[in-house]
Amino acid sequence: MKILLNCLPCHDVSKLYPIEIQDTAIYEIDCEKGHKTVQILNEAQFETLFELGSLALLDGYTREAVSSYASSLERFYEFCIRVLLSVHKVNYSTMNETWKMVTVQSERQLGAFYFIWLLHYKKTPPKIAQKWVTFRNDVIHKGYIPKYDETKQYATSLYEYMLPIIIEFKRNYTKHFEHLKDKDFLIDKYACLSSPFVRDTYFLSKETMFNLVSSKDPLGNFDEALAMLAKRKDTLYSNSF
Ligand SMILES: [Zn+2]
């Protein structure tokens, strides 16, 4: 999948450059007029994964949709853990060192989420219904081919699980989203670029189904968010290679 970006110095929104979606969310653009820029998208990785899941759903690829949604949920737990650790004044590098100890063990990450939630809110954390955990495992590990309707129900259940937390964090903790664009973090990320720091750099936010960092509010429900994605996908994404 590619994302469509325009060259910011050109101010021409009609000329879009398709660039393969990057895990780093860092995009180098060499425009036809010779501007060489870097655009860093502020969205969290879980948002991008949820978008990819929904794009797959809109195209009828249900297994691929479930895989992206499931990854989105895992990265969402990581996001929540990092926000709450930041609220409790844990610095980014210590957080990172500790995260490395659980980085390949999603069950441990989930355990960390539960107990950080408990510590912070003094309440039992919200939990995904067991039926959807089983559904996800059947798709990912047993080759189950899900139907469109049940995939959509799965996506709806994740959306309804994540949305109240996103609204709560957006209301109270936006300054703790800093790690999404933490300087050290970006320097690490920049190691993947061919010409670090020689390009003009722009930070920007795109609309997503959750609008975590966008100035817009998240949409009220999954059907509405999916309908909006269906409307804007042709101006934001391209699946041609
Ligand atoms: Zn340009």
Side-chain angles (χ1 to χ4, degrees), residues 7 9-10 31 33 35:
C7 171
C10 276
C31 93
K33 291 189 182 157
H35 299 121

Side-chain angles (χ1 to χ4, degrees), residues 16 29 56 60 86 148 158 163 165 167 179 196 219-220 239 241:
L16 295 168
I29 298 172
S86 171
Y148 178 86
L158 296 198
L163 190 65
I165 300 173
I167 291 171
H179 63 269
L219 292 158
N239 57 9
F241 277 87

Side-chain angles (χ1 to χ4, degrees), residues 124-214:
T124 308
K127 188 173 174 291
I128 294 285
Q130 185 56 40
K131 105 180 223 198
W132 295 122
V133 176
T134 306
F135 172 77
R136 174 249 184 233
N137 289 341
D138 286 351
V139 174
I140 304 288
H141 299 304
K142 295 185 185 168
Y144 175 66
I145 301 169
K147 294 189 177 68
Y148 178 86
D149 283 350
E150 55 188 343
T151 304
K152 199 170 164 206
Q153 284 168 26
Y154 173 65
T156 302
S157 76
L158 296 198
Y159 193 86
E160 289 174 353
Y161 177 82
M162 293 154 83
L163 190 65
I165 300 173
I166 288 167
I167 291 171
E168 143 84 1
F169 279 16
K170 220 177 146 162
R171 190 175 296 143
N172 296 311
Y173 300 134
T174 44
K175 71 176 184 191
H176 298 282
F177 297 176
E178 280 297 301
H179 63 269
L180 292 172
K181 49 184 187 321
D182 181 282
K183 191 160 162 276
D184 291 339
F185 184 50
L186 287 172
I187 288 168
D188 267 1
K189 283 184 163 189
Y190 263 108
C192 67
L193 290 176
S194 54
S195 49
F197 293 114
V198 299
R199 291 161 176 263
D200 284 339
T201 303
Y202 300 85
F203 289 90
L204 62 159
S205 303
K206 297 277 182 193
E207 188 176 347
T208 70
M209 293 176 76
F210 288 115
N211 285 331
L212 176 74
V213 289
S214 149

